[in-house]
């Protein structure tokens, strides 16, 4: 076996652990973005119990939200001249909520991947602006239509569905 190829037994053990954790927490972590960070956790800590892994995953998501929100709201305020009073809310993992919950403007953030989190936070800010002010933001400079926040190829992007193209990156602090 080449040195760069993972040991099949290690991979099988990792996959079984990840499946067990996802089942116990009711999550689909592997579908929410790259699993490299999960592999790192597994490599560093081994087969953690679900509750311990949930705390690590929750902190990762919370940190990503806290990193994404300030630059995004700053750009939105600058573009719209509106005050954006959006703060994240955190329900830490507990018996009642094994994985914890992170929300922005009443929108639950599902992703664990930083790009996915940024896209979800951007979507929450868009929804806030639409609900509170009736304001569509941001607009595609080419088509003057609303953009959609997406995670695409590891980046958080504003995407124009009018002509299915990338418009710009979602800001990161």
């Amino acid at each position: 076996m080449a040195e760069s190829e993972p040991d099949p037994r290690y991979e099988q053990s990792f996959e079984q652990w990840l499946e067990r954790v996802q089942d116990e927490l009711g999550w689909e972590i592997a579908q929410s973005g790259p699993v490299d960070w999960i592999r790192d956790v597994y490599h560093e800590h081994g087969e953690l119990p679900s509750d311990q892994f949930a705390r690590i995953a929750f902190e990762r998501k919370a940190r990503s939200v806290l990193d994404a929100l300030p630059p995004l709201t700053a750009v939105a305020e600058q573009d719209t001249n509106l005050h954006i009073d959006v703060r994240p809310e955190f329900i830490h993992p507990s018996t009642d909520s094994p994985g914890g919950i992170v929300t922005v403007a009443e929108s639950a953030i599902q992703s664990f991947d930083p790009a996915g989190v940024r896209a979800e936070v951007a979507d929450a800010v868009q929804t806030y602006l639409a609900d509170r002010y009736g304001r569509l933001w941001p607009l595609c400079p080419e088509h003057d239509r609303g953009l959609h926040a997406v995670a695409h190829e590891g980046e958080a992007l504003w995407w124009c569905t009018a002509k299915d193209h990338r418009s710009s990156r979602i800001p990161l602090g």
Side-chain angles (χ1 to χ4, degrees):
M1 176 172 13
E3 193 171 318
S4 63
E5 291 180 34
D7 179 348
R9 292 173 297 180
Y10 181 87
E11 280 300 304
Q12 182 180 15
S13 178
F14 168 74
E15 293 295 331
Q16 288 172 346
W17 170 78
L18 180 57
E19 188 174 317
R20 185 174 63 253
V21 166
Q22 291 182 123
D23 287 347
E24 290 175 9
L25 295 174
W27 288 351
E28 291 186 20
I29 305 167
Q31 283 72 40
S32 70
V35 296
D36 293 344
W37 70 274
I38 301 171
R39 286 184 188 284
D40 291 344
V41 169
Y42 183 78
H43 182 73
E44 189 174 326
H45 301 283
E47 294 190 14
L48 285 173
S50 298
D51 63 332
Q52 289 179 16
F53 177 75
R55 285 193 294 277
I56 292 170
F58 176 85
E59 291 301 323
R60 175 186 171 85
K61 183 186 296 190
R63 215 173 21 258
S64 293
V65 166
L66 292 170
D67 288 346
L69 192 57
L72 185 65
T73 56
V75 169
E77 285 182 342
Q78 179 182 356
D79 290 352
T80 64
N81 291 318
L82 298 170
H83 176 65
I84 299 173
D85 187 20
V86 174
R87 290 178 182 81
E89 294 184 18
F90 305 101
I91 299 172
H92 292 267
S94 67
T95 308
D96 294 334
S97 179
I101 300 170
V102 178
T103 60
V104 173
E106 300 179 16
S107 295
I109 306 302
Q110 301 297 322
S111 184
F112 294 92
D113 175 57
V117 168
R118 273 200 320 278
E120 289 184 48
V121 168
D123 185 64
V125 170
Q126 278 186 310
T127 301
Y128 170 84
L129 285 167
D131 291 350
R132 171 122 188 202
Y133 297 108
R135 182 72 180 264
L136 183 60
W137 173 86
L139 298 176
C140 177
E142 294 178 45
H143 303 104
D144 200 36
R145 294 179 86 184
L147 295 171
H148 298 274
V150 299
H152 179 73
E153 296 180 356
E155 290 186 285
L157 303 170
W158 290 116
W159 199 269
C160 177
T161 57
K163 295 290 181 179
D164 195 32
H165 69 92
R166 168 190 173 147
S167 179
S168 61
R169 283 179 140 172
I170 294 173
L172 178 63

